[in-house]
Amino acid sequence: MNQLNKIINHLKINPVKFVHVLGVDGIFSESIIYYMQCNKELFKPNDNLIVVNGYSEDSDKYDNVIYLKNLNKQIIFFLENILEYTNHIVIHYLDFNLSLKIPKNVCPKIIWRTWGNDLTYSISYVPGVKLKIKMLYKKLLWNLISKRNVRMFEAVGMSATGCDKITLKKQRINVPTVSMPYPTNYWAEDIMQIVKRPFDRLVKSDNEIWIMIGHSANSSLNHIKYLKKLAHLKNESIRILMPMVYGREDYKNKVKKKAYDIFGNKAIVWTEKLKYDDYLRLLNLIDISIFDAKHQMAMGNISDLLLLGKLVVLNKKGIAYQTLQNNGIKIHDTSIIDNISYKGMESIISKNKPLIAKKYFYNLRTKEAIDKKWSYIYEIFK
């Protein structure tokens, strides 16, 4: 009997209230698993089973966390066979293929915790004509089939900012929504202490302005567009940082070449995965950050930067910009980068008033706030 059948048989004998399905084993999955295991009064092991697609050396560390290789290939079989033995199935990130094929009888028990990019099928996500055509085809199937399935879900869980609500409304997905915030490795209370120690891998000179473009190798962030817009400042006291730990390799190489051609050693394309505390210290070097995507992405980076008091520049038509505006946070839009001078940058940095944004994201990121949101979920979904 394979491991998947063992889980199903176990659930038949020991039903649970919630089965959490994490189809992507990565930083977000790790953070929510750790949070659940550190809060067993809230996430009672007898009420929660967590099933993760992938493998971990710590797979035996927690009694109610199970790692399964190739879970995504067997997901329909799994969902259909556990349906009777759980009250709710929480899908953390909705795989596109699953969104098409999910059985109708399973849908009413699904709480989908969206990661943002599994809700948006935009051609700006991908470079090149062939990939854009594939994305258009996906978008067509999403609109014709997947959305019909999603509209039968029990609820959609969102990030702490609620930015996904804007996208849901645009897509006319009228499903009950709940806040299901993911914690980071550190609470808001810890972050300011963490950044007191400088990032020891890079040195920032006095009077140097550091500009961050995007947070990943994703073409919708328009890195090359802003490298060109800032090219006239190449002889000024600036550094250009572009984190590209994940994303498309071909796009990253294209951006890297352009960055070094224009800015030489003033450009930093960061490709090494960092621990979260070190990444915070890296972000603390930034003076201005530019995120040009229109759809929901980079909210973790944006919230970290605003919590650190940094100047964030967003696309005026984007979900992140609209979300912050809706919450009373005034934010600069990308038009300020057009023909900006070095003195102009110095001016907007000096005039930046980060207090409201810092307070907003601080309040969202405390342990008390996140515990309260999840406690509410466990009250309404019994």
Side-chain angles (χ1 to χ4, degrees), residues 88-283:
H88 313 281
I89 302 168
V90 186
I91 302 287
H92 297 256
Y93 181 83
L94 183 62
D95 179 77
F96 175 70
N97 290 325
L98 175 59
S99 75
L100 290 175
K101 299 174 183 177
I102 193 163
K104 303 293 183 291
N105 62 325
V106 175
C107 291
K109 281 196 176 182
I110 297 290
I111 301 171
W112 166 30
R113 203 311 188 167
T114 177
W115 288 8
N117 60 331
D118 55 348
L119 180 55
T120 305
Y121 291 90
S122 170
I123 61 171
S124 64
Y125 258 97
V126 292
V129 175
K130 287 184 179 179
L131 288 174
K132 288 185 185 300
I133 291 171
K134 284 184 179 180
M135 184 59 80
L136 281 171
Y137 181 63
K138 269 191 170 184
K139 188 172 183 177
L140 177 64
L141 291 178
W142 170 261
N143 286 323
L144 290 176
I145 301 172
S146 299
K147 280 166 68 171
R148 182 183 61 201
N149 295 334
V150 168
R151 290 185 178 111
M152 292 188 283
F153 285 0
E154 185 174 17
V156 176
M158 302 179 297
S159 61
T161 61
C163 54
D164 307 298
K165 191 175 287 188
I166 296 172
T167 307
L168 286 166
K169 185 176 180 181
K170 285 183 177 179
Q171 295 211 34
R172 298 180 181 178
I173 299 175
N174 299 313
V175 175
T177 57
V178 288
S179 180
M180 300 176 76
Y182 281 7
T184 58
N185 293 21
Y186 299 95
W187 305 111
E189 300 93 322
D190 307 317
I191 288 176
M192 301 316 294
Q193 291 299 316
I194 289 168
V195 297
K196 283 184 178 180
R197 182 162 70 82
F199 186 65
D200 57 10
R201 307 273 294 279
L202 295 171
V203 177
K204 184 176 184 178
S205 302
D206 293 339
N207 302 319
E208 201 171 47
I209 294 177
W210 282 45
I211 306 162
M212 175 172 161
I213 306 174
H215 70 301
S216 67
N218 190 307
S219 59
S220 62
L221 292 159
N222 297 317
H223 296 82
I224 292 175
K225 171 183 173 181
Y226 287 93
L227 289 171
K228 291 177 179 178
K229 282 179 179 285
L230 296 167
H232 63 286
L233 301 173
K234 64 183 179 181
N235 295 321
E236 301 286 358
S237 183
I238 65 169
R239 299 295 295 275
I240 306 290
L241 173 71
M242 293 178 291
M244 291 193 165
V245 177
Y246 61 94
R248 295 186 178 277
E249 192 71 18
D250 54 344
Y251 178 73
K252 177 179 70 177
N253 292 334
K254 185 178 178 182
V255 172
K256 186 188 293 188
K257 183 180 185 306
K258 177 61 73 171
Y260 292 154
D261 284 349
I262 297 174
F263 294 99
N265 61 9
K266 289 185 177 182
I268 304 167
V269 178
W270 193 272
T271 58
E272 182 185 342
K273 186 176 180 180
L274 295 169
K275 292 181 179 178
Y276 182 63
D277 53 348
D278 282 329
Y279 189 63
L280 285 169
R281 295 182 184 107
L282 176 61
L283 292 184

